[in-house]
């Protein structure tokens, strides 16, 4: 598994390029890396997305993507 520090550095670099906030969560809805302080508020949405068959989905105006390692 990729370390949280590598994930954090990666999304901070992506934020610098794309100028959007990013968050990476595990399949239990726990935040692994984020570029914004209130990411824990989206745990319920993450869990709903994990249970869905979709590979990407918009929930409450946020784009979710499943990434398989």
């Amino acid at each position: 598994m990729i370390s949280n520090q590598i994930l954090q550095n990666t999304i901070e670099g992506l934020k610098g390029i794309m100028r959007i906030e990013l968050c990476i969560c595990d399949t239990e809805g726990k935040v692994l890396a984020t570029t914004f302080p209130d990411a824990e508020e989206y745990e319920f949405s993450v869990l709903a997305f994990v249970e869905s068959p979709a590979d990407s989905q918009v929930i409450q105006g946020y784009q979710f993507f499943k990434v398989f390692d």
Side-chain angles (χ1 to χ4, degrees), residues 21-38:
E21 301 294 343
L22 300 163
C23 179
I24 298 175
C25 299
D26 65 12
T27 56
E28 297 173 353
K30 303 301 178 210
V31 175
L32 302 178
T34 185
T35 61
F36 58 100
D38 57 349

Side-chain angles (χ1 to χ4, degrees), residues 2 27 49-50 52-56 65-69:
I2 299 174
T27 56
F49 176 60
V50 167
S52 79
D55 288 333
S56 67
F65 296 96
K66 289 182 182 171
V67 178
F68 300 95
D69 181 20

Side-chain angles (χ1 to χ4, degrees), residues 13-21:
L14 288 171
K15 179 184 177 184
I17 295 167
M18 301 185 321
R19 302 187 198 290
I20 61 170
E21 301 294 343

Side-chain angles (χ1 to χ4, degrees), residues 1-12 24 32-33:
M1 177 173 239
I2 299 174
S3 77
N4 291 11
Q5 185 61 42
I6 292 171
L7 292 172
Q8 187 67 45
N9 291 339
T10 301
I11 66 170
E12 286 175 4
I24 298 175
L32 302 178

